[in-house]
Amino acid sequence: MPTIPESHRDLLDAQVATLATVGPDGRPQSSALWFLAEGDTVRLSLITTRQKTKNLMAQPVASLVILDLADPARYLELRGDVSIEDDDDYEFANRLGAKYGMPDVSVIDGPGERRVVVTIEPVRVHAIDMNAG
Amino acid sequence: MPTIPESHRDLLDAQVATLATVGPDGRPQSSALWFLAEGDTVRLSLITTRQKTKNLMAQPVASLVILDLADPARYLELRGDVSIEDDDDYEFANRLGAKYGMPDVSVIDGPGERRVVVTIEPVRVHAIDMNAG
């Protein structure tokens, strides 16, 4: 798996990433969302009824961009595949929630909503700094 | 064409957007880039040799996210198709460049590089504000 260079590792602590998936019509779809990096592994907590989750279940490929909000010429892209696992007990969701001051993520979910853990498995890592020329 | 709601029109003046395209392997690819909105129409200036441009030429579909850097719970997604036109005379590139204090964009391009204008033609507009609950 490609590594994330030291120059951009600070972005793994950022608050928001943008996830691109491919929809059933072949068009990309993007949304901003929470993420949690543990070491170099970036994971998301998604609700199964959402279109992006359905897209990943049908086509387990994604691109995740973490933009430096203070200097948007700097960003990190993780492009590759995803693996999806059940998280019915909110074990991962609450670990991610702790990053955002929300130790019990179930409070924001509707009745009957289910969560999965999406792990990004990059085949390419792009660490961009347009300031560097 | 779907319209951009008043609540998110300020984002059309932002400096950076994230463009997702679909690569030849079917995986999405994302990158941050400059854009210019004229009215509700968002256009990009791309160099033809870049992978994202090749992706758009092969599959003219895209998702563009403009994140509010000061409040990343707010963003605008334009999802849909693109049209691509030559810009050999830099007529559009320099109009976009003017937004960024670069009236002659050709100075940053290598010899033999060609530019095209990419116009986003959204089939869906998502104006998100997670603060709104």
Side-chain angles (χ1 to χ4, degrees):
Chain A
M1 195 175 281
T3 56
I4 295 166
E6 197 57 43
S7 61
H8 284 66
R9 292 187 57 81
D10 60 302
L11 294 176
L12 296 175
D13 295 320
Q15 297 294 297
V16 170
T18 303
L19 176 74
T21 61
V22 179
D25 60 3
R27 292 188 177 109
Q29 158 175 353
S30 307
S31 53
L33 77 184
W34 289 359
F35 71 96
L36 181 63
E38 296 176 314
D40 271 16
T41 303
V42 174
R43 293 191 178 90
L44 317 170
S45 177
L46 300 187
I47 293 170
T48 54
T49 49
R50 299 293 164 81
Q51 187 59 48
K52 62 187 155 219
T53 317
K54 293 178 186 173
N55 291 350
L56 291 174
M57 287 174 164
Q59 298 187 70
V61 292
S63 166
L64 189 83
V65 163
I66 311 173
L67 194 61
D68 183 345
L69 300 185
D71 178 8
R74 256 183 101 235
Y75 68 93
L76 181 66
E77 182 201 7
L78 307 180
R79 185 192 309 169
D81 302 318
V82 302
S83 65
I84 304 173
E85 293 166 284
D86 291 339
D87 192 28
D88 289 325
D89 59 3
Y90 282 71
E91 192 270 333
F92 174 75
N94 289 341
R95 213 154 74 228
L96 175 141
K99 174 181 172 182
Y100 296 92
M102 185 179 288
D104 180 3
V105 171
S106 70
V107 299
I108 58 170
D109 291 349
E113 285 185 337
R114 289 187 53 227
R115 283 192 174 259
V116 290
V117 186
V118 172
T119 303
I120 309 287
E121 298 175 342
V123 295
R124 295 284 293 274
V125 169
H126 284 169
I128 306 291
D129 187 348
M130 305 284 277
N131 301 306
Chain B
M1 195 174 284
T3 54
I4 296 166
E6 197 57 42
S7 62
H8 284 65
R9 293 188 55 82
D10 61 303
L11 294 177
L12 296 175
D13 294 321
Q15 298 293 298
V16 170
T18 303
L19 176 75
T21 60
V22 178
D25 59 2
R27 292 188 178 108
Q29 159 175 350
S30 307
S31 52
L33 76 185
W34 288 358
F35 71 96
L36 180 63
E38 295 176 313
D40 271 18
T41 303
V42 174
R43 294 193 178 91
L44 317 170
S45 177
L46 300 186
I47 293 171
T48 53
T49 49
R50 299 292 165 81
Q51 187 59 47
K52 61 187 154 220
T53 317
K54 293 178 186 173
N55 291 350
L56 291 173
M57 287 174 164
Q59 297 187 69
V61 293
S63 166
L64 189 83
V65 163
I66 310 173
L67 195 61
D68 184 343
L69 300 186
D71 178 8
R74 258 182 99 235
Y75 68 93
L76 181 66
E77 183 201 8
L78 308 180
R79 184 192 309 168
D81 303 317
V82 301
S83 65
I84 304 173
E85 292 165 284
D86 291 337
D87 192 28
D88 290 324
D89 60 2
Y90 283 71
E91 192 270 333
F92 174 76
N94 289 340
R95 213 153 75 225
L96 174 141
K99 174 180 173 184
Y100 296 92
M102 185 179 288
D104 180 5
V105 171
S106 69
V107 299
I108 59 170
D109 291 351
E113 284 185 339
R114 288 186 54 226
R115 283 192 173 261
V116 290
V117 186
V118 172
T119 304
I120 309 288
E121 298 174 344
V123 295
R124 297 284 291 276
V125 169
H126 285 168
I128 306 292
D129 188 347
M130 306 284 278
N131 302 306

